[in-house]
Every structure is written in structure tokens, then in C-alpha cells.
Amino acid sequence: MINYQFPSKLIVSCQAPSDSPLSEPIVIAAMAEAAVNQGAAGVRIDTPAHIVAVRSRISAPIIGIWKQVLPGFEVYITPRFEDAAAIAAAGADIIAIDATLRNRPNGETLNNLIARIHNELGKPVMADADTIETAINAVEAGADAVATTLYGYTAATKHLSPPGFELLAEMVEKLNVPVICEGGIAQPIMAKKALELGALAVVVGTDITGIDLKVKAYNLVMGNG
């Protein structure tokens, strides 16, 4: 593990669909700067290009990820060491990875991936989990923090809907590392509940930066979609 002070309270995920005008690096960077200007403790950013753009605008912590869809594998959040190395070089302070128990590319184990990120990149690791078993395994593998990010998004949890408040509470009770709530936070009161349950921080994405999805939702309800 690496001794690192993770950002607390609000972290804003600044991402956009690849076919959206919002996916331009300059737009993602503007979103991130606006979030930090209004008090966000950090941001979560996808892809090296976006991280480079954001790093040029803010000094607040960046949680970096690189979503990669690899044939034959379900893990997609920074699945390989080379992906972690690229986002570290781009300016990420923290490397977030898929820490589920699913098969990983190149035959790499979670333990080895985390160890390489620590030893070769010198970066702390945020483990995106879906279950308490995954979270415990990630901590045993050396993860510096765990998050509820993948709750509801894996075969084991697809019958569940985020936010995973029960999983969050169990993580807080059983783990000795910072626990972060991510996924499904749609109102400030929900973020407050996550903090009350013991989360160090709450990552909010769509409800703050997801213009594409929010407009779709409005149009669907209003019968315009």
C-alpha cells in the first residue's frame, strides 16, 4: 500500500460518450475546472488525452481510468498495466482499476497489477468493486482504497441497482482502507447519506456532468424521445 491522502467528500466524474460533443478534451477540462472551482475535492477522468487536458487546468487530485473493451474479457476499467502506465504518464494521481474477480488479460493477477502500479508507477490504487468479496480481495491484494463503482454492472450484481448503500456500509465495517461511494448518486441528499454511512468520498458523474443522459431522460419522460 502507498501512504496517500485520498480526496474526501465530493469527487466529480467528468466523462462523456465518445460520440458526444462533450467528449472534446477542452470541454472535459472545462467541466473539471468548474467542478474544482465550486469545491470538488477531485475529479475522475477517462483516457490519457482527457487527463492531459484536465491536468493543464487543475492541480486537484485526478483519479485516472482508461476504459478498454478487450475481446474475450469483461473487465474494462484500466484492465492492463500498460493502460495504468499511460494514464499515470498523462498526469493521474490515483489509478482506478476493475478489481472484480473476473478473468484479466495477459494472464495478469490483481495482486501483480496492483504491485506493479505501486512499484513501477508510484501511484495509489482505487479498486472498483461490485461485491464485498471483491472488495476484501482487493484490499488483500494491496489496494489503497475501494469503491462501489461496479455494483449493479456485473453478472453477479446485475439484479441490483446502484447506489449500493448496503455494500458501502459493509465495506466501511469490514475494511481498513478508505471507502468511496460511486454509482447511482442522483441527488445531493443521496451523497449526504453515503457520507453518513462512512464513505470518505462520493463520486458523482451523470447527475452533474452527464448532459447527454440527462436530456435523454427528460425527453423519455416527456414523450419527446
Side-chain angles (χ1 to χ4, degrees):
M1 295 178 67
I2 287 182
N3 185 18
Y4 181 82
Q5 186 66 46
F6 278 78
S8 61
K9 296 191 177 178
L10 180 62
I11 297 169
V12 177
S13 180
C14 302
Q15 299 180 47
S18 59
D19 60 351
S20 169
L22 297 177
S23 68
E24 291 289 337
I26 191 172
V27 179
I28 295 292
M31 279 195 243
E33 185 175 12
V36 171
N37 285 350
Q38 296 305 315
V43 292
R44 180 165 163 130
I45 309 294
D46 178 29
T47 78
H50 286 171
I51 292 168
V52 167
V54 171
R55 182 83 290 163
S56 72
R57 299 279 287 266
I58 69 168
S59 58
I62 296 174
I63 299 171
I65 65 173
W66 195 358
K67 294 178 181 175
Q68 300 274 35
V69 178
L70 304 174
F73 298 95
E74 294 181 342
V75 295
Y76 65 95
I77 298 176
T78 325
R80 303 167 298 187
F81 175 75
E82 62 198 73
D83 307 318
I87 57 178
D93 300 287
I94 301 159
I95 308 299
I97 63 171
D98 182 319
T100 60
L101 303 178
R102 300 176 289 189
N103 290 334
R104 315 189 69 83
N106 304 327
E108 191 163 43
T109 66
L110 183 65
N111 296 58
N112 186 56
L113 177 60
I114 292 175
R116 292 190 70 187
I117 293 171
H118 284 166
N119 298 332
E120 298 179 40
L121 305 178
K123 302 291 184 181
V125 173
M126 173 174 159
D128 290 343
D130 60 338
T131 66
I132 188 62
E133 291 77 18
T134 292
I136 291 171
N137 182 68
V139 173
E140 290 176 348
D144 304 281
V146 294
T148 59
T149 314
L150 291 170
Y151 176 92
Y153 296 100
T154 62
T157 63
K158 64 183 179 182
H159 60 292
L160 303 169
S161 297
F165 286 140
E166 290 184 7
L167 174 60
L168 173 66
E170 196 170 8
M171 285 181 173
V172 170
E173 178 187 357
K174 295 182 177 180
L175 304 177
N176 61 353
V177 300
V179 177
I180 297 168
C181 183
E182 178 171 3
I185 300 296
Q187 301 175 48
I189 193 68
M190 296 169 74
K192 182 181 179 184
K193 179 177 180 179
L195 294 178
E196 290 171 346
L197 288 171
L200 172 70
V202 181
V203 178
V204 183
T206 299
D207 196 55
I208 294 176
T209 60
I211 294 177
D212 300 274
L213 292 176
K214 297 292 278 187
V215 172
K216 270 187 184 178
Y218 270 92
N219 276 331
L220 183 63
V221 172
M222 297 168 68
N224 298 329

